[in-house]
Amino acid sequence: MTNPHSTDYDAIVVGAGFAGIYQLYTLREQLGLTVRLFEKGSGVGGTWYWNKYPGAMSDTESPFYRYSFDKELLQEWSWSRKYIDQPDILAYIEEVVKRHDLLKDIELDTEIRSIVLDETTDTWTVTTAAGESHTARYVVTALGLLAAVNVPDIPGMDSFRGRTVHTAEWPDDLTLEGKRVGVVGTGSTGTQFIVASSKIADHLTVFQRNPQYCVPSGNGPVEPGEVEGYKSRYDEIWKQVRGSQVAFGFEESTIAASEVTPEERERVFEEAWQRGNGFYFMFGTFNDLAVDLESNEAAADFIRRKIAQVVDDPETARKLTPTQAYAKRPLCNHNYYEVYNQENVELVSILENPIVEIVPEGVKTADGVVHELDVLVFATGFDAVDGNYRRIDLVGRDGITADQHWEEAPTSYLGIATTGFPNLFMVLGPNGPFTNLVPSIEVQVEFITKLIDTGEQQQVIVETTQDVEDGWSVICSDIANGTVFPKTDSWIFGANIPGKKSSVLFYMAGIRSYGEVLADVAANGMKGFRLTPVKQPVDA
């Protein structure tokens, strides 16, 4: 397209994780655009660059936590265990960048502070923390679902004589060997950290906010011939992944727990417990655990009984036992509950015995006990989905910021576009699909690429409208409300952030359904998007 308004780049991408890297690749290699990617870290990898805490790994099984677009790399890159550890994931992402020569278009150590629309030209100005500005016709934000760190506000934080760290900001020089370690939080990150650090810390104190349902991961070395078997079936595998619900590479159950005998439920649950993987336990056993409270309670009861069997001390087992529905992000770890049988691990339920303050020696709880620590770790998660958008000065039409536009709740159309922000597209924005992230990222990036190609070919500005965005929000809310997930307090709905209004943040009908929606939109002239001619310059 002959652009009537000169810009530094055709497109700017923000963030060098799985999403940003693939978006850079498609815009440059498939559309032939000039693209610049800005990344605040000193290396690529996004989540896997920042999260270097002990135990960090994906809980998606290894064959399915990778790009599908590079068929040669699928055959060349191998793995040795059921799940991929953080260093190996980072090495994989770095290899993708290297083999496609993407680094030449990536600017590291560059934090973006503002993204502002010029309404006279419908172009964007992106400004860095160093004050440098760059312009583009298109902006794609690949900021990550889980990137804006959440650190609780506890009195006395500055008084602690030891080291304080959030798991997503793990320093290279911090080791835990021989240390007295405290950790706040027992979500996916927290449970991974607890399992790993319990092996090396002199003493580990777990400050548990809410007990979790956690099933075994089944992690271990691959079987002989297993990797080769997956490599020979990748065309079939990706077809199954994109045609499934949660995109984790297993066949999801078509049988309801409510339709079988208690004995059969017990057999299936036990088999899944031995197999491992949290998403498999929820979606591979029966098809109604996420939508039927009675079936969900059967699964919850099974896990509760496992906790009682595994944990030696009855009082510790009681504290570890959830009472809410099994309706948060499914967790899995190798020997999570067994950790609490170790002499060097102590559990403190801060629901029953809250943290009062941080003191120089450690953490003081309501019972007056000071838990002496050398290191205090916050595995307290993130201001998920929209948190990073609210930390950037993102300004659209009429000077309205994303923060203002989302005053009531973060919303979008398809998790990709939001009203008042033309030619700006989000990967994993609010109300995008709740699935294995890499396949979801690929689906969204490929659709965004089609949107930008439409803009280029037709010389139009692409944006959604408020009525369309509102309609998508209703669809997402209706789907979520038909599940058990709203029955608990969870980051999935923003409930982990004090003062944040609980809202639906995901499209929960699965990747197959989501892909069908995108295909329908594309087949109907980008239905839901307003395509307006590019403004021409006014003659002087």
Side-chain angles (χ1 to χ4, degrees):
M1 160 179 171
T2 302
N3 181 15
H5 303 286
S6 178
T7 55
D8 298 324
Y9 305 101
D10 296 326
I12 287 174
V13 178
V14 184
F18 270 105
I21 288 167
Y22 188 39
Q23 189 70 80
L24 169 60
Y25 172 85
T26 63
L27 295 181
R28 196 185 77 179
E29 300 301 318
Q30 295 176 11
L31 301 190
L33 301 183
T34 60
V35 189
R36 194 67 171 168
L37 187 155
F38 295 100
E39 164 58 46
K40 71 177 181 179
S42 298
V44 300
T47 291
W48 301 107
Y49 171 82
W50 295 105
N51 286 265
K52 300 174 182 177
Y53 60 87
M57 67 171 61
S58 169
D59 60 2
T60 303
E61 294 172 17
S62 298
F64 320 111
Y65 201 74
R66 60 195 64 240
Y67 293 117
S68 68
F69 80 89
D70 190 331
K71 295 186 182 299
E72 289 184 3
L73 187 57
L74 284 172
Q75 298 304 316
E76 295 172 13
W77 200 264
S78 291
W79 60 95
S80 60
R81 297 180 65 79
K82 183 174 180 177
Y83 298 92
I84 319 175
D85 293 333
Q86 176 270 335
D88 293 330
I89 299 173
L90 185 58
Y92 168 78
I93 296 172
E94 290 170 341
E95 175 61 23
V96 171
V97 169
K98 179 181 177 182
R99 73 190 281 122
H100 295 291
D101 195 22
L102 298 178
L103 196 58
K104 67 183 181 183
D105 294 312
I106 297 174
E107 194 164 324
L108 300 173
D109 295 307
T110 306
E111 182 178 359
I112 298 305
R113 288 287 176 83
S114 70
I115 304 172
V116 180
L117 177 68
D118 180 347
E119 292 190 68
T120 63
T121 60
D122 280 333
T123 59
W124 291 95
T125 299
V126 177
T127 304
T128 71
E132 297 176 344
S133 293
H134 308 270
T135 56
R137 296 196 305 282
Y138 307 97
V139 171
V140 180
T141 52
L143 305 182
L145 281 179
L146 304 173
V149 300
N150 171 46
V151 178
D153 184 13
I154 303 174
M157 288 271 279
D158 293 340
S159 71
F160 182 49
R161 286 199 294 260
R163 293 192 68 172
T164 303
V165 61
H166 191 283
T167 47
E169 298 174 335
W170 197 266
D172 292 335
D173 66 340
L174 178 57
T175 59
L176 303 180
E177 285 80 358
K179 301 246 179 39
R180 299 167 300 175
V181 179
V183 56
V184 181
T186 54
S188 180
T189 292
T191 54
Q192 287 183 349
F193 175 80
I194 289 162
V195 171
S197 61
S198 69
K199 297 180 174 67
I200 53 178
D202 183 62
H203 189 272
L204 177 66
T205 305
V206 178
F207 297 96
Q208 174 188 267
R209 295 179 295 174
N210 293 290
Q212 297 280 1
Y213 294 99
C214 185
V215 306
S217 64
N219 198 14
V222 298
E223 298 293 331
E226 182 178 332
V227 173
E228 291 73 21
Y230 280 114
K231 288 182 176 182
S232 69
R233 296 187 295 109
Y234 260 125
D235 287 345
E236 169 193 338
I237 283 169
W238 296 126
K239 182 178 179 181
Q240 188 279 331
V241 164
R242 291 201 182 191
S244 67
Q245 182 176 356
V246 293
F248 272 74
F250 56 79
E251 293 291 338
E252 291 142 358
S253 178
T254 59
I255 300 169
S258 58
E259 295 175 352
V260 303
T261 64
E263 292 77 16
E264 176 64 6
R265 283 199 300 269
E266 189 78 5
R267 184 194 68 77
V268 171
F269 286 144
E270 181 62 34
E271 187 177 90
W273 183 270
Q274 298 303 325
R275 176 198 184 279
N277 188 267
F279 277 82
Y280 182 84
F281 194 90
M282 179 169 279
F283 295 98
T285 51
F286 298 103
N287 68 358
D288 60 344
L289 301 190
V291 296
D292 183 89
L293 278 174
E294 186 173 338
S295 294
N296 184 274
E297 173 58 24
D301 178 68
F302 178 89
I303 299 173
R304 293 184 198 121
R305 286 185 281 115
K306 285 292 187 182
I307 296 170
Q309 292 169 15
V310 169
V311 181
D312 295 337
D313 177 57
E315 178 61 9
T316 301
R318 182 193 66 78
K319 292 177 182 177
L320 286 167
T321 302
T323 57
Q324 291 183 317
Y326 176 39
K328 295 188 178 184
R329 184 190 185 282
L331 304 184
C332 65
N333 282 285
H334 179 63
N335 287 344
Y336 173 64
Y337 295 118
E338 286 83 350
V339 161
Y340 295 95
N341 293 332
Q342 297 178 202
E343 291 185 1
N344 69 324
V345 178
E346 175 187 3
L347 177 67
V348 177
S349 169
I350 56 179
L351 280 178
E352 302 172 357
N353 186 22
I355 294 174
V356 175
E357 61 178 330
I358 309 295
V359 296
E361 298 80 14
V363 173
K364 184 177 182 180
T365 46
D367 59 2
V369 173
V370 173
H371 302 268
E372 296 187 358
L373 304 171
D374 302 306
V375 181
L376 177 57
V377 177
F378 288 103
T380 44
F382 306 87
D383 187 356
V385 183
D386 59 312
N388 261 353
Y389 288 89
R390 297 181 187 274
R391 298 181 187 193
I392 291 176
D393 190 22
L394 179 52
V395 185
R397 294 201 187 280
D398 301 320
I400 295 174
T401 66
D403 203 31
Q404 291 169 329
H405 178 55
W406 291 339
E407 183 177 5
E408 291 300 315
T411 56
S412 78
Y413 179 42
L414 307 174
I416 285 173
T418 193
T419 307
F421 296 82
N423 280 1
L424 183 140
F425 307 109
M426 303 173 287
V427 188
L428 303 180
N431 288 336
F434 182 70
T435 76
N436 175 13
L437 287 183
V438 182
S440 288
I441 284 168
E442 286 195 318
V443 167
Q444 286 199 313
V445 165
E446 288 159 12
F447 186 77
I448 290 169
T449 304
K450 289 179 182 179
L451 287 173
I452 292 176
D453 192 36
T454 298
E456 291 292 279
Q457 297 299 323
Q458 300 183 27
Q459 298 193 31
V460 292
I461 302 298
V462 182
E463 59 185 309
T464 192
T465 59
Q466 192 62 54
D467 61 328
V468 170
E469 186 169 332
D470 291 343
W472 182 251
S473 296
V474 170
I475 289 171
C476 292
S477 293
D478 287 347
I479 293 169
N481 290 333
T483 73
V484 299
F485 288 102
K487 305 298 182 185
T488 66
D489 295 330
S490 168
W491 68 262
I492 295 173
F493 298 92
N496 63 317
I497 305 298
K500 185 172 183 177
K501 181 181 176 183
S502 180
S503 61
V504 174
L505 296 176
F506 291 96
Y507 175 80
M508 304 189 80
I511 195 169
R512 177 179 177 177
S513 173
Y514 182 74
E516 290 170 350
V517 170
L518 296 186
D520 180 64
V521 169
N524 287 278
M526 293 303 174
K527 178 176 63 177
F529 290 95
R530 183 171 60 204
L531 308 179
T532 56
V534 172
K535 293 174 182 175
Q536 298 300 313
V538 178
D539 293 335

